[in-house]
Amino acid sequence: KEGNQAYRKMLLTSMSAMVAETATFPIDITKTRLQLFRTQSSHLPSPNAFRVASDIFQRQGLSGLYQGLSPAIIRHLFYTPLRILSYEHLRLAVPSDSLSAKALVGGISGVFAQVVASPADLVKVRMQADSRLVGEGLPPRYKGIIDALSKIVRMEGFWGLWRGVFPNSQRAFLVNMGELACYDHAKRFIVGNQVCGDNIYAHTLASIMSGLSATTLSCPADVVKTRMMNQSAGKDTKFL
């Protein structure tokens, strides 16, 4: 019975993460393009999120804002259930209920899940980066997930699938340290101080607080991992 509940929880967390990923993917691809931006001259205007998103939409239409969605969804088949279930089991094994203990457990859970899901994240970043080439009428590096995986293994070796795994793991540690621990702690604070009951409002407030803290903590590592993952065989695709 407990095993069935665990499988059900894994299925529900994966489905929830895939729906959330699909809904927010245009923001994610805009973020990736901003992180990969390079300027050759000081007089070139710096991009902003609205300009980047508008450029993608004008050049490629709505589908351009979803370039790389398939590997992102596959990533969540592994990453989300692994980090959630790992956090729940490790949290029970740790005697302390302090915020620092929860943060450490959350970070470790995130690293474990990210190492497993890193190849899918790598393909997602590179397919998102390729959207710029497609928008300029150039052929993309990869035709799809299978083509990307086979080319990466052939050109960069099997361990090339884990390019950028160290900054990616650092990002996952910081994200989950801020997200899981903050969510857990924030929800208890909200309910304990009777801001509202243990209902959808408490979950929403805790989610907002955890999301903001996770993004703030992980942003520097996120930029590093995105640029490293976009490098192919030692060469970086520049975004000008």
Side-chain angles (χ1 to χ4, degrees):
K1 194 173 181 180
E2 290 182 2
N4 291 334
Q5 290 180 345
Y7 286 126
R8 183 182 178 187
K9 184 176 288 187
M10 289 179 67
L11 178 62
L12 290 174
T13 53
S14 295
M15 290 177 64
S16 300
M18 287 188 286
V19 170
E21 183 72 27
T22 303
T24 60
F25 197 78
I27 299 173
D28 189 48
I29 194 171
T30 301
K31 177 208 71 172
T32 299
R33 289 277 292 271
L34 282 168
Q35 290 174 338
L36 294 173
F37 184 82
R38 303 284 193 276
T39 54
Q40 287 184 317
S41 175
S42 59
H43 69 269
L44 291 175
S46 299
N48 56 53
F50 179 77
R51 283 181 54 201
V52 171
S54 297
D55 180 69
I56 295 172
F57 183 77
Q58 289 173 6
R59 289 173 180 264
Q60 300 168 251
L62 185 62
S63 62
L65 293 171
Y66 287 91
Q67 183 80 19
L69 177 61
S70 50
I73 289 177
I74 290 175
R75 171 180 177 265
H76 279 293
L77 287 174
F78 303 96
Y79 175 72
T80 300
L82 283 175
R83 74 185 181 110
I84 296 296
L85 293 178
S86 297
Y87 176 73
E88 291 182 352
H89 283 82
L90 289 173
R91 187 183 60 180
L92 294 175
V94 175
S96 175
D97 197 39
S98 65
L99 179 60
S100 58
K102 292 176 184 175
L104 179 61
V105 168
I108 293 172
S109 302
V111 170
F112 168 66
Q114 187 56 66
V115 169
V116 174
S118 195
D121 206 13
L122 174 72
V123 175
K124 182 197 80 167
V125 167
R126 292 199 180 178
M127 288 182 69
Q128 286 179 330
D130 279 0
S131 67
R132 178 63 178 253
L133 300 175
V134 174
E136 294 178 350
L138 299 173
R141 288 177 289 181
Y142 312 110
K143 298 177 182 178
I145 300 174
I146 303 301
D147 182 58
L149 291 172
S150 61
K151 282 184 177 178
I152 292 169
V153 171
R154 186 170 66 251
M155 297 176 65
E156 303 171 47
F158 177 76
W159 296 112
L161 293 171
W162 276 267
R163 180 182 291 276
V165 69
F166 292 111
N168 209 5
S169 297
Q170 291 170 353
R171 172 189 175 274
F173 184 93
L174 295 171
V175 165
N176 288 276
M177 182 180 72
E179 191 174 275
L180 296 177
C182 182
Y183 175 84
D184 195 7
H185 213 72
K187 191 179 76 170
R188 291 194 181 192
F189 176 84
I190 291 166
V191 175
N193 287 272
Q194 298 182 342
V195 177
C196 58
D198 189 2
N199 51 34
I200 190 172
Y201 301 108
H203 290 272
T204 301
L205 287 172
S207 297
I208 292 171
M209 295 170 69
S210 67
L212 289 172
S213 64
T215 301
T216 302
L217 284 169
S218 66
C219 191
D222 192 36
V223 174
V224 174
K225 74 99 180 176
T226 298
R227 294 189 178 180
M228 285 188 68
M229 282 183 158
N230 189 49
Q231 293 174 354
S232 178
K235 294 183 179 179
D236 190 9
T237 300
K238 304 220 180 221
F239 283 72
L240 305 173

